[in-house]
């Protein structure tokens, strides 16, 4: 086999940085050596992998075909090194983890603490983003695994149902629906007329809320879209509209009285959290240990 891991590493670095000059610093080579490595790879494959646009190198269709394979090979090589190292398997040091926003803010920190992540050998690297972005990063082998709060539809993912999360419909005590809820359970028609505070499209929370509410309300009238649940709950407390959020997110404002949970005729609203990794991911002992910690959370 004439293709080397070094050539694939250079190829991925050029894709991520847009030039051989920028990639050289990432792979600890000179610019000339980086250019030579790319040329060797293209000559071996007898194709161009990038379009030359001014000083930038832009991935073409050949490069897009190679990229996931290259990332998979580099990920497998890194996993092999970890498998045969003398590092302790009981902690998550060195793992690249992704979490959607609610999990990343309210669940993952406690799991990492339980997993004894502090080590002289390193620390975990955590990406927090919406479910779609985490899933894409896992598919591209940029993350070892993800913990997400919405369904994932990419065919290359192994998706494992994990925790159940209760969703509450909340509003400011001064909201008009709060008075109605005090007199009895709110009907679907009353909720249908409300202005809803929602996450952005692509968010697991947005998809879960729509999945839970649309069968009963048929439509949600947006009163605002926000990039995270923290902003939504404070907007709801300020009276901007009603929201459907995880109990994990709103518990503090429920306790303080700045939000109330509305009583409705709807059934109990729940969603699943999921653990995801690439179907072709080599699961190191450390990653398997961390997965087991997640599976037994909370004990």
């Amino acid at each position: 086999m004439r293709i080397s891991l070094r050539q694939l590493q250079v190829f991925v670095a050029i894709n991520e940085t847009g030039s051989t000059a920028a990639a050289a610093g990432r792979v600890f080579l000179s610019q000339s050596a980086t250019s030579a490595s790319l040329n060797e790879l293209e000559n071996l494959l007898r194709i161009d992998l990038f379009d030359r646009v001014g000083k930038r190198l832009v991935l073409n269709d050949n490069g897009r075909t190679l990229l996931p394979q290259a990332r998979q090979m580099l990920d497998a090589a890194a996993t092999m090194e970890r498998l045969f190292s003398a590092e302790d398997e009981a902690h998550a040091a060195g793992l690249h983890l992704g979490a959607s926003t609610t999990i990343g803010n309210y669940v993952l920190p406690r799991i990492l603490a339980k997993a004894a992540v502090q080590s002289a050998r390193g620390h975990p690297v955590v990406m927090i983003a919406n479910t779609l972005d985490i899933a894409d990063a896992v598919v591209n082998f940029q993350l070892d695994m993800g913990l997400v709060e919405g369904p994932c539809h990419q065919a290359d993912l192994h998706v494992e149902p994990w925790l159940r999360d209760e969703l509450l419909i909340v509003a400011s005590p001064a909201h008009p629906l709060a008075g109605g809820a005090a007199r009895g359970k709110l009907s679907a028609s009353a909720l249908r007329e409300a202005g809803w505070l929602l996450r952005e499209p692509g968010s697991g929370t947005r998809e879960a809320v729509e999945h839970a509410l649309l069968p009963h309300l048929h439509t949600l009238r947006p009163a605002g879209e926000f990039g995270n649940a923290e902003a939504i709950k404070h907007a709801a407390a300020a009276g901007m509209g009603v929201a459907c959020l995880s109990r994990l997110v709103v518990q503090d404002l429920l306790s303080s009285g700045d939000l109330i949970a509305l009583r409705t005729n709807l059934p109990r609203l729940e969603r699943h959290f999921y653990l995801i990794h690439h179907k072709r991911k080599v699961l190191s002992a450390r990653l398997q240990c961390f997965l087991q910690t997640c599976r037994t959370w909370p004990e």
Side-chain angles (χ1 to χ4, degrees):
M1 181 179 294
R2 294 176 295 170
I3 296 176
S4 70
L5 290 174
R6 189 59 156 168
Q7 290 167 344
L8 296 178
Q9 184 185 38
V10 167
F11 162 67
V12 171
I14 293 172
N15 169 66
E16 292 175 349
T17 61
S19 71
T20 55
R26 181 170 295 190
V27 297
F28 305 105
L29 292 174
S30 66
Q31 182 177 357
S32 60
T34 302
S35 297
S37 180
L38 175 61
N39 290 335
E40 290 168 3
L41 180 60
E42 290 182 322
N43 289 334
L44 284 170
L45 297 174
R46 297 188 178 90
I47 55 173
D48 289 331
L49 297 168
F50 294 92
D51 293 327
R52 276 66 176 175
V53 182
K55 294 183 178 181
R56 287 190 57 79
L57 296 176
V58 180
L59 205 65
N60 61 23
D61 58 324
N62 294 323
R64 288 192 293 273
T65 300
L66 177 62
L67 184 61
Q69 303 298 324
R71 283 177 168 158
Q72 181 184 357
M73 292 293 293
L74 293 172
D75 176 77
T79 301
M80 289 177 198
E81 291 180 351
R82 293 195 294 267
L83 277 172
F84 297 102
S85 71
E87 296 177 357
D88 182 8
E89 298 172 0
H91 56 68
L95 292 180
H96 286 220
L97 307 171
S100 51
T101 310
T102 299
I103 297 173
N105 287 337
Y106 297 97
V107 180
L108 182 58
R110 289 181 286 167
I111 295 176
L112 290 175
K114 180 183 177 182
V117 301
Q118 296 301 322
S119 168
R121 300 183 184 95
H123 55 268
V125 177
V126 178
M127 170 184 173
I128 298 178
N130 68 34
T131 292
L132 180 60
D133 290 339
I134 296 298
D136 286 343
V138 172
V139 165
N140 290 320
F141 292 96
Q142 295 168 304
L143 295 172
D144 295 313
M145 65 166 288
L147 304 88
V148 298
E149 55 208 67
C152 297
H153 309 291
Q154 290 90 331
D156 289 330
L157 287 179
H158 172 81
V159 180
E160 177 182 336
W162 179 32
L163 301 177
R164 287 187 178 274
D165 179 44
E166 183 183 7
L167 296 172
L168 299 178
I169 298 176
V170 297
S172 163
H175 192 281
L177 285 184
R183 295 188 294 271
K185 292 184 177 180
L186 293 168
S187 66
S189 59
L191 294 171
R192 197 175 297 124
E193 296 302 316
W196 288 86
L197 305 172
L198 302 168
R199 284 288 303 275
E200 78 285 1
S203 158
T205 295
R206 172 71 172 260
E207 187 167 353
V209 165
E210 291 177 342
H211 180 77
L213 293 179
L214 288 180
H216 308 286
L217 306 186
H218 310 304
T219 185
L220 296 175
R221 185 168 64 85
E225 281 188 3
F226 297 83
N228 60 70
E230 285 291 307
I232 291 177
K233 76 175 182 181
H234 287 292
M240 285 184 60
V242 299
C244 183
L245 292 169
S246 166
R247 180 180 287 276
L248 292 167
V249 173
V250 299
Q251 188 59 58
D252 57 341
L253 295 191
L254 291 175
S255 298
S256 68
D258 293 308
L259 284 176
I260 63 168
L262 299 179
R263 299 169 61 234
T264 76
N265 285 324
L266 303 184
R268 178 184 171 92
L269 303 177
E270 289 185 333
R271 62 175 173 176
H272 260 118
F273 290 160
Y274 301 89
L275 304 175
I276 61 173
H277 62 77
H278 200 289
K279 287 181 178 177
R280 297 193 298 276
K281 173 73 178 173
V282 178
L283 302 182
S284 67
R286 174 170 302 137
L287 184 54
Q288 291 186 57
C289 183
F290 183 74
L291 277 166
Q292 188 58 30
T293 301
C294 293
R295 290 173 183 137
T296 58
W297 178 267
E299 291 183 335

